Amino acid sequence: MADNRLPEEGDRIAKLLARAGVASRREIERMIADGRIAIDGKVLDTPAVKLANLNGVTVDGKAVGRAEAARLFAFHKPSGLITAERDPRGRPTIYTALRNALPKDAGRVIPVGRLDFTTEGLLMLTNDGELKRAMELPSSGIPRTYRARAFGDVTQAQLDELIEGVEIDGIRYGRIEADLERGSGKNRWVEMTLTEGKNREVRRVLEHLGLQVNRLLRTAYGPFELADLPRGQAVEIRQADVERFGKQLRRGGQL
């Protein structure tokens, strides 16, 4: 579109499409650059467009439905699933399990962050790209809690030092609260709470301390807990709780 003037009212198209669950704002901006989004048949060449609604907007030639209220689901991811829609190596993905785990009216959902192939536990899913992005931002400060079973020797004093953060191979990891659970033997459980969620952070930090992680389970993401949700099952977060959580993110400037 040649006209780059912005209407006085409405939201940017990337925000509306993210809210409709198409993708995150950053991904939508890439889709615009690739010429995949059009308005009334005219291919969009800039994300600097404001709209009151998504009438006439198409993605890859298909009309976009109206933006729904943000929905959030908790999924107990088993080990052995890729957090992606498809895997070039042909390994099963979370969507294989989600076909039967989600309610029929869930529509398209996208994962909030990732869990590694062998990592289990709580994976949050949403239909709202804006909510996904806000929950992933390190600046949101949302705590993630993990339980790691690790082989080796470590003391609570060593774990306490992680409260100041740690640098490993040139990468700085921020504040981590870590507690050694009671037990004996070489395999011990460690509970860790962090807010950044860098790639493979828990494994790398524990390996830095000389431990070998042989099981990793995420038990909480912000106010949402895995609790007794069965492996491979999903449950929808109550709308009132989603709205309350969204208000907290808006107050912090993330939404």
Side-chain angles (χ1 to χ4, degrees):
M1 294 180 65
D3 189 355
N4 290 330
R5 291 174 299 172
L6 297 180
E8 295 298 322
E9 298 180 356
D11 290 316
R12 287 205 173 211
I13 188 170
K15 184 174 184 177
L16 285 176
L17 288 172
R19 194 179 297 151
V22 172
S24 69
R25 276 198 291 184
R26 187 170 298 174
E27 290 166 340
I28 289 164
E29 288 173 357
R30 283 197 290 265
M31 293 165 74
I32 291 172
D34 292 339
R36 297 173 57 190
I37 297 175
I39 302 177
D40 295 328
K42 296 180 180 179
V43 175
L44 194 63
D45 62 9
T46 174
V49 172
K50 287 185 177 180
L51 299 172
N53 54 57
L54 292 171
N55 293 343
V57 177
T58 57
V59 177
D60 296 331
K62 297 179 181 178
V64 179
R66 67 180 180 83
E68 297 180 353
R71 297 175 72 180
L72 197 57
F73 300 87
F75 172 55
H76 186 159
K77 176 193 172 294
S79 175
L81 294 180
I82 294 291
T83 307
E85 288 198 45
R86 59 188 64 86
D87 178 49
R89 293 165 57 183
R91 293 172 295 179
T93 75
I94 57 170
Y95 290 94
T96 307
L98 288 173
R99 288 193 202 102
N100 297 321
L102 290 172
K104 300 301 180 186
D105 68 342
R108 181 182 183 274
V109 296
I110 43 182
V112 177
R114 293 176 179 271
L115 290 180
D116 294 338
F117 184 66
T118 57
T119 302
E120 312 164 49
L122 182 63
L123 180 65
M124 303 304 296
L125 305 152
T126 181
N127 65 335
D128 191 311
E130 277 291 283
L131 180 58
K132 163 187 164 70
R133 174 181 173 275
M135 290 179 69
E136 291 174 345
L137 284 173
S139 59
S140 297
I142 298 175
R144 292 92 149 155
T145 300
Y146 296 81
R147 290 185 71 230
R149 187 179 66 195
F151 179 82
D153 293 312
V154 71
T155 65
Q156 183 61 50
Q158 288 176 285
L159 295 176
D160 287 343
E161 292 179 1
L162 297 176
I163 204 74
E164 303 296 334
V166 62
E167 184 170 318
I168 304 170
D169 296 331
I171 300 175
R172 181 70 187 176
Y173 297 95
R175 173 190 177 99
I176 298 173
E177 296 180 26
D179 292 297
L180 184 64
E181 296 188 6
R182 290 183 179 179
S184 58
K186 288 290 187 179
N187 269 311
R188 300 290 299 275
W189 284 96
V190 179
E191 183 177 81
M192 302 176 70
T193 299
L194 47 98
T195 58
E196 289 183 317
K198 286 188 172 77
N199 186 36
R200 297 179 63 82
E201 181 169 351
V202 172
R203 294 181 188 275
R204 286 177 174 166
V205 169
L206 291 181
E207 287 169 3
H208 176 71
L209 295 177
L211 300 174
Q212 181 180 344
V213 177
N214 49 54
R215 189 179 179 193
L216 183 58
L217 179 78
R218 183 157 66 193
T219 58
Y221 199 112
F224 311 111
E225 297 182 351
L226 182 64
D228 57 358
L229 181 63
R231 184 181 288 110
Q233 296 299 306
V235 64
E236 183 165 8
I237 305 300
R238 293 187 312 167
Q239 193 60 37
D241 293 333
V242 176
E243 292 174 3
R244 187 180 303 113
F245 184 57
K247 287 179 182 177
Q248 293 173 357
L249 291 174
R250 281 190 288 275
R251 282 198 295 268
Q254 278 77 38
L255 268 178

